[in-house]
Amino acid sequence: MTALEINSLDVRHGQLKAVRSISFSIEKGEVVALIGANGAGKTTLLRAIAGAHKLTSGSILLKGIDITDLAAHQRVAAGLALVPEGRKLFTDMTTQENLQLGATVSRAGGWSVDKIFEIFPNLQRHRHAKTGNMSGGEQQATAIGRALMSNPEVLILDEVSLGLSPLVVDQVYASLATLIQTGTTIILVEQDLSRAMKVASRAICMLEGEIVLDKKMSEVSREQITDAYFGLAKIKNIAVEQ
Ligand code: ATP
């Protein structure tokens, strides 16, 4: 079943076309790594899908339902949750309170505060601690948990590793692996290619606002992804054609 369908999406920042004519669809349970250099348009694309940035043109369907004209909070209610770069927690509130905020859209589903603590066991002891006093990894886990509390059909994670130590990133990814086993559909941005290749079932590479590679992880090599990342695939193709 198709979880998310993106058709001919164009997104601008003023005159700059940051996302150009992007189309793809994601099946339920797929884990898609969105890969690309700084400025490739990944964050802009994710924010546009979540309704945080206006589209210039195109359409977005969630489980076959057109959500293009819905506001961001209505998209959450429809089943789309974004964990933004930088987490954006309420740092004066406790872990439990932040998690409960995620449930305010009251979509039906299996996630609860206790279930979040099952997949992020390190959070349990910080249940009543203000998130502002917690480590980066614990804050990231709380942000992911808060998104899960809306029982999303599709979870979008923008650079979950940003600013975290390698050890903490390992912990966050260990928890993500548990989450993936539950069959959650995920789009994630990850700068560490080895990690992305390990966790995701599919790679979509962006270059200058466009998709330059879209393949199953099992059918793509590291070299093909790095070529796409640096724009070398295009150059090599031109050379072959000549
Ligand atoms: P990064 O990994 O650095 O976050 P990215 O792939 O997520 O990169 P975007 O942040 O989506 O890329 O940026 C795409 C393009 O849009 C870049 O050229 C960037 O400079 C530009 N851009 C991003 N945000 C804004 C903004 N608020 N105003 C103007 N231009 C922007």
Side-chain angles (χ1 to χ4, degrees):
M1 194 216 312
T2 302
L4 185 69
E5 188 182 327
I6 307 295
N7 298 306
S8 309
L9 219 65
D10 280 302
V11 190
R12 286 171 181 263
H13 291 289
Q15 290 300 306
L16 176 79
K17 289 183 180 174
V19 167
R20 295 189 269 168
S21 218
I22 283 201
S23 299
F24 60 87
S25 54
I26 298 179
E27 296 301 302
K28 187 172 165 42
E30 269 193 300
V31 179
V32 176
L34 189 60
I35 297 164
N38 286 345
K42 306 176 299 292
T43 295
T44 305
L45 171 64
L46 297 186
R47 283 173 48 82
I49 294 173
H53 194 103
K54 201 172 171 295
L55 309 181
T56 307
S57 58
S59 65
I60 304 166
L61 276 67
L62 186 67
K63 281 179 78 185
I65 296 165
D66 194 334
I67 59 163
T68 317
D69 295 326
L70 297 187
H73 69 278
Q74 292 169 317
R75 292 185 199 197
V76 179
L80 201 62
L82 169 72
V83 179
E85 210 179 299
R87 310 185 267 272
K88 313 269 188 314
L89 290 173
F90 291 94
T91 50
D92 268 345
M93 293 168 70
T94 67
T95 302
Q96 178 163 322
E97 287 164 346
N98 268 281
L99 292 177
Q100 281 164 340
L101 274 181
T104 44
V105 294
S106 63
R107 271 177 57 79
W111 290 105
S112 62
V113 171
D114 287 336
K115 192 121 186 275
I116 301 295
F117 289 143
E118 270 174 38
I119 62 156
F120 296 118
N122 288 348
L123 284 186
Q124 172 80 52
R125 65 197 162 94
H126 296 294
R127 188 174 193 132
H128 302 296
K130 287 187 178 171
T131 57
N133 301 329
M134 287 164 30
S135 73
E138 288 153 358
Q139 290 187 8
Q140 190 59 271
T142 307
I144 296 170
R146 184 180 59 184
L148 287 173
M149 287 292 287
S150 67
N151 289 302
E153 300 288 342
V154 177
L155 177 67
I156 302 177
L157 304 168
D158 195 359
E159 299 225 32
V160 286
S161 323
L162 204 69
L164 303 180
S165 71
L167 191 72
V168 174
V169 176
D170 283 346
Q171 288 166 2
V172 172
Y173 269 89
S175 304
L176 275 185
T178 314
L179 177 61
I180 288 164
Q181 280 165 15
T182 66
T184 310
T185 310
I186 298 176
I187 309 177
L188 61 89
V189 172
E190 175 52 67
Q191 290 293 354
D192 180 337
L193 187 52
S194 301
R195 239 178 241 288
M197 290 185 78
K198 243 186 247 165
V199 75
S201 53
R202 179 171 157 198
I204 295 183
C205 291
M206 284 182 74
L207 179 73
E208 294 168 1
E210 292 176 308
I211 291 182
V212 286
L213 179 144
D214 181 352
K215 278 186 189 296
K216 284 191 178 154
M217 271 314 172
S218 56
E219 293 168 1
V220 70
S221 67
R222 195 184 171 88
E223 190 194 358
Q224 283 172 307
I225 295 179
T226 41
D227 281 359
Y229 184 102
F230 291 113
L232 297 176
K234 249 186 189 173
I235 294 166
K236 283 182 181 171
N237 284 340
I238 291 166
V240 169
E241 281 164 18
Q242 280 173 347

